[in-house]
Amino acid sequence: MKLKVSRQANPIVVKELRSRMRGWRAFAVLTGVLLLLGAVSYLLYRMAMIAAGSGGFPLSPQIGQLLFIGLILTELLLVSFITPAVTAGAISGEQEKLTYEMLLTTPLHPASILWGKLISGLGYVFLLIFAAVPMASLVFIFGGVAPGDMVKALAILIALAITLGVTGLFFSALLGRTTRAMVATYLSVLALLVAPTFVWVFIGVLRQSQPPGWILIPNPVSALFSALTPVQLGGGATEILWGLARLLGGYADPSSAFLTGVARPLYHYTLVLYGALSLVLYLLTTRLVQPVRRWRIGRRALLTGLAVLLLFGGVAAAAFLITANRYEWASGRATPTPFPRDMISSRMPAIPVPAPVATEAPAPIPTPAPRAEDRGPVLADEELAAIYVAVVRQLYLVDHTFEEGHQFPTVYLLAATDDSVGDPKAPMSDGQPISAAVQQAVTGVLAADPAIPARLVWVDSTEQVPMDANNTVEDGGAIFTLGNVHAQDDGRVLVPAGLYFAMLGAGGRTYVLEKGDGGWQVVGDTGVQWIS
């Protein structure tokens, strides 16, 4: 009589999860992981506050991304060292306890046993990953982290957990001893974490130039940092953490987001590599768990394995092809998605701006000259003044992060541009001084505008702005930062801009402006927006 096994649930999964989750150890480890993540979050927050007390004032988005990076990096290290512990003894443990032969006598196929061991082991690791999501979501209070960053970070953690779980099963079935399998798996973990960066640095020293970025593809830390969207550094703990990110990820130039040497983000290739490695090791392990004739592969098994590999390759190729317009087929200079003309939000009427009159003024702030590829067409001072007037009015009257009707009594305008206050993926140029003629024209127009009853003060840096002990602008004032004007092919311009009035009061975005009969007007924004 042929026995039939229920297809509703794999009995190995049920048995392993019950034995694992009914003991005190599983909940002790889960509690310890959450306490560790909470301690890391508090430590990073205190670091940011100490840095603020020593001179600067960290923006709320910087604090949010500092906490998020610390949490995700800590969880990545935990996954790297917990996963081998729960999977490296899955097969060898049964062999050492002399129970593996008993499992083989059951109606379960050896592949079903392997699948059950893998799912039960990874199920506990996934529990540790997703249990930390509510804690990591607290960073949205500060801002600086987009939901897409959270999704990409979770995808990398899950892919890493699956790869390490399959690696542990492979060595467990191959070596037959839990100690040996665990040592081999941990060596694989160290190889992924350390070897790529070591080789990258070694080749860079030998060549005395930027080494190829594809060397870092196996490194999960490099993949993690390539998936995140950075905010402006601003010094302090954020700069220290991003310095560590550049060191671990092989990023040499702090002014560049990611120097990977490849067109698309590094984690795209990392996910494909991890998926292919997991499939190959799993297919090999299905042969190793066979009691006899391990390498006598039948036609059906061979076709199934090839079909799985081809399917994975087809899905990966399709994903790369679909996104090629954003990377390989894109133009050399990044341009954000154009703002649709039929989607006008918070449009401010244009105000005519008189031609700026050149007057004697202090010497401009010395800044590096912009790169040739970022200069673009040069606009006249009259055009620049009109554009900046429209942006300042938008910040003051609409995007001030308060309820409708709020007014700042004093607005401090930075006399140098800074593109980092907007979308990090939008076109960027080096900071440039805003000429005295443009400053005078902007101040004259806005001072005569009854909708803006504020005192306008141009400052060279934020250090000239009066702030209290809590890094809040005194007397209810605000700091406005303007970016460079980036002309687009359709006649529109993109201008990054942001405001700051307190540690938990800041915002920034990239505005889209077009010139009509009445002058320059803000017609919307594009890309990432941050607010706190």
Side-chain angles (χ1 to χ4, degrees):
M1 181 178 65
K2 185 176 181 180
L3 297 177
K4 294 184 179 180
V5 181
S6 174
R7 297 181 179 271
Q8 296 181 354
N10 190 314
I12 299 295
V13 176
V14 177
K15 181 259 182 186
E16 292 286 338
L17 288 180
R18 285 179 176 175
S19 61
R20 190 183 302 277
M21 299 304 298
R22 284 180 175 177
W24 62 270
R25 185 176 301 175
F27 295 97
V29 172
L30 178 60
T31 303
V33 167
L34 295 179
L35 290 177
L36 176 60
L37 294 176
V40 170
S41 301
Y42 179 76
L43 177 62
L44 293 175
Y45 179 78
R46 294 303 304 169
M47 288 173 58
M49 294 300 100
I50 293 174
S54 62
F57 59 94
L59 295 177
S60 178
Q62 296 171 358
I63 299 177
Q65 195 171 57
L66 176 68
L67 297 179
F68 182 70
I69 293 174
L71 286 173
I72 294 299
L73 184 59
T74 303
E75 195 164 1
L76 184 146
L77 296 177
L78 289 173
V79 168
S80 299
F81 291 99
I82 290 178
T83 305
V86 298
T87 59
I91 303 299
S92 58
E94 298 287 351
Q95 294 175 346
E96 291 172 346
K97 292 182 294 186
L98 303 179
T99 56
Y100 186 65
E101 288 78 7
M102 297 177 60
L103 282 176
L104 294 178
T105 60
T106 65
L108 289 174
H109 191 272
S112 299
I113 298 175
L114 176 64
W115 182 251
K117 292 287 186 179
L118 178 63
I119 293 299
S120 60
L122 292 180
Y124 181 67
V125 177
F126 290 162
L127 175 64
L128 297 179
I129 294 175
F130 288 103
V133 170
M135 181 177 297
S137 63
L138 293 177
V139 301
F140 292 121
I141 298 176
F142 297 95
V145 178
D149 292 336
M150 177 79 75
V151 173
K152 289 184 288 187
L154 287 176
I156 293 173
L157 290 177
I158 292 174
L160 177 64
I162 294 174
T163 301
L164 296 182
V166 175
T167 302
L169 280 179
F170 172 75
F171 284 117
S172 181
L174 177 66
L175 301 178
R177 291 291 183 270
T178 301
T179 303
R180 298 176 183 176
M182 195 166 296
V183 170
T185 307
Y186 278 120
L187 289 177
S188 302
V189 172
L190 292 177
L192 290 177
L193 292 175
V194 178
T197 303
F198 177 80
V199 174
W200 190 90
V201 173
F202 182 74
I203 293 179
V205 172
L206 290 180
R207 292 185 175 183
Q208 294 296 311
S209 63
Q210 179 83 10
W214 57 263
I215 299 175
L216 296 171
I217 291 177
N219 191 340
V221 178
S222 301
L224 177 64
F225 282 108
S226 71
L228 300 181
T229 303
V231 296
Q232 60 184 30
L233 296 179
T238 309
E239 188 171 3
I240 294 175
L241 187 59
W242 274 108
L244 178 63
R246 292 191 295 270
L247 176 63
L248 295 177
Y251 310 133
D253 184 3
S255 66
S256 178
F258 309 111
L259 290 176
T260 60
V262 290
R264 58 176 63 237
L266 191 70
Y267 75 93
H268 287 195
Y269 300 93
T270 303
L271 293 178
V272 174
L273 175 64
Y274 285 178
L277 182 62
S278 299
L279 284 177
V280 171
L281 290 180
Y282 182 81
L283 293 176
L284 291 176
T285 309
T286 58
R287 308 310 308 172
L288 292 174
V289 296
Q290 298 289 338
V292 294
R293 298 179 179 177
R294 291 180 173 180
W295 304 111
R296 186 176 178 180
I297 304 176
R299 180 181 300 178
R300 181 178 179 181
L302 180 61
L303 293 178
T304 301
L306 291 177
V308 170
L309 293 176
L310 290 176
L311 178 62
F312 174 79
V315 171
F320 272 59
L321 186 62
I322 292 174
T323 58
N325 288 329
R326 298 176 56 187
Y327 301 106
E328 289 85 359
W329 297 345
S331 59
R333 182 178 177 182
T335 301
T337 303
F339 194 87
R341 293 184 177 271
D342 58 346
M343 294 178 60
I344 307 301
S345 63
S346 305
R347 186 177 213 163
M348 300 299 300
I351 293 182
V353 179
V357 179
T359 59
E360 294 184 1
I365 302 173
T367 55
R371 296 168 297 182
E373 63 270 19
D374 292 334
R375 289 192 180 109
V378 178
L379 297 175
D381 285 349
E382 181 180 359
E383 297 289 328
L384 289 176
I387 291 171
Y388 285 144
V389 165
V391 172
V392 171
R393 295 185 79 250
Q394 184 76 17
L395 280 174
Y396 191 92
L397 299 176
V398 180
D399 298 327
H400 45 61
T401 75
F402 281 96
E403 294 180 357
E404 184 177 358
H406 177 79
Q407 294 178 340
F408 296 109
T410 305
V411 173
Y412 298 92
L413 298 166
L414 291 182
T417 60
D418 184 358
D419 283 348
S420 64
V421 295
D423 179 12
K425 298 180 180 179
M428 285 195 180
S429 301
D430 297 331
Q432 296 294 308
I434 299 176
S435 67
V438 174
Q439 294 181 27
Q440 182 183 13
V442 171
T443 303
V445 174
L446 294 176
D449 187 354
I452 304 181
R455 184 171 64 99
L456 303 176
V457 180
W458 288 90
V459 294
D460 294 336
S461 68
T462 56
E463 296 179 356
Q464 299 178 2
V465 179
M467 297 188 185
D468 59 20
N470 296 321
N471 290 321
T472 300
V473 180
E474 292 184 355
D475 300 327
I479 303 172
F480 284 10
T481 303
L482 303 173
N484 295 299
V485 176
H486 299 273
Q488 303 298 292
D489 296 336
D490 59 357
R492 300 182 179 187
V493 296
L494 303 182
V495 181
L499 62 86
Y500 172 92
F501 52 85
M503 290 182 58
L504 296 180
R509 64 189 70 196
T510 299
Y511 289 109
V512 182
L513 293 89
E514 68 178 14
K515 189 175 183 179
D517 296 336
W520 286 97
Q521 303 178 57
V522 175
V523 297
D525 51 65
T526 183
V528 176
Q529 305 174 15
W530 60 270
I531 187 174
S532 63

